């Protein structure tokens, strides 16, 4: 027997993939990528950060972050320095070119977000946030509430 509708999990996965692909395309067109955006945004928001803190904020492992920082440093977007007195730690910070790239990518991110919001009322967006939160809670290992509660 065929399902009458696409399962919500599949629909959500397909939508997430399409939205992610469109965001990647927007960032690429602006001269960046998702990892570049995440690193530059973290450094812009929080200032210079050690590699461990930055990896945590970006959501990657240390070696992956090092790979991204190598590329960003080669492009002149970040600098890495060792603070005096602690040669084991490296701190990453934005260069002027990195700050300029952040602003270009932010414009692309804002345009992408506006595209996503097109035709949605504020109430729609609030309901969407609530529903996405509920879906996430439903699949998290420790559900605090009854997943069948339709509040």
């Amino acid at each position: 027997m065929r399902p009458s509708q696409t399962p919500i999990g599949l629909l959500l996965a397909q939508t997430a993939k399409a939205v992610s692909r469109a965001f990647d395309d927007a960032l690429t067109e602006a001269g960046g990528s998702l990892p570049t955006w995440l690193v530059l945004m973290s450094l812009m928001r929080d200032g210079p950060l050690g590699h461990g803190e930055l990896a945590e904020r970006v959501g990657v492992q240390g070696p992956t972050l090092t790979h991204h920082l190598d590329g960003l440093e080669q492009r002149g977007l970040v600098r890495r320095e060792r603070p005096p007195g602690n040669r084991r730690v490296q701190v990453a910070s934005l260069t002027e070119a990195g700050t300029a790239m952040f602003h270009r990518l932010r414009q692309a991110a804002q345009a992408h977000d506006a595209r996503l919001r097109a035709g949605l009322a504020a109430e729609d967006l609030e309901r969407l946030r609530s529903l996405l939160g509920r879906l996430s809670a439903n699949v998290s290992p420790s559900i605090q509430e009854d997943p069948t509660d339709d509040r």
Side-chain angles (χ1 to χ4, degrees), residues 19-71:
V19 169
S20 180
R21 200 173 303 122
F23 189 46
D24 287 342
D25 291 347
L27 292 174
T28 298
E29 190 174 308
S33 65
L34 183 58
T36 297
W37 168 241
L38 294 173
V39 169
L40 297 183
M41 182 174 52
S42 294
L43 293 174
M44 188 72 179
R45 181 182 53 225
D46 299 323
L49 293 169
H51 283 199
E53 291 175 277
L54 186 55
E56 187 176 305
R57 282 176 173 77
V58 172
V60 297
Q61 298 295 313
T64 302
L65 177 67
T66 298
H67 170 74
H68 293 308
L69 288 176
D70 287 345

Side-chain angles (χ1 to χ4, degrees), residues 75-91:
R75 293 174 60 195
L77 302 176
V78 299
R79 77 176 59 85
R80 291 185 278 187
E81 301 170 313
R82 295 191 188 275
N86 191 347
R87 300 288 301 156
R88 295 181 305 146
V89 174
Q90 277 194 326
V91 175

Side-chain angles (χ1 to χ4, degrees), residues 12 21 41 83 101 115 122 125 147:
L12 182 62
R21 200 173 303 122
M41 182 174 52
M101 175 61 79
R115 183 176 168 199
L125 292 169

Side-chain angles (χ1 to χ4, degrees), residues 101-121:
M101 175 61 79
F102 164 79
H103 289 296
R104 277 195 305 279
L105 295 179
R106 183 175 64 174
Q107 287 177 330
Q110 289 171 332
H112 175 75
D113 193 60
R115 183 176 168 199
L116 284 175
R117 293 167 176 262
L120 297 174

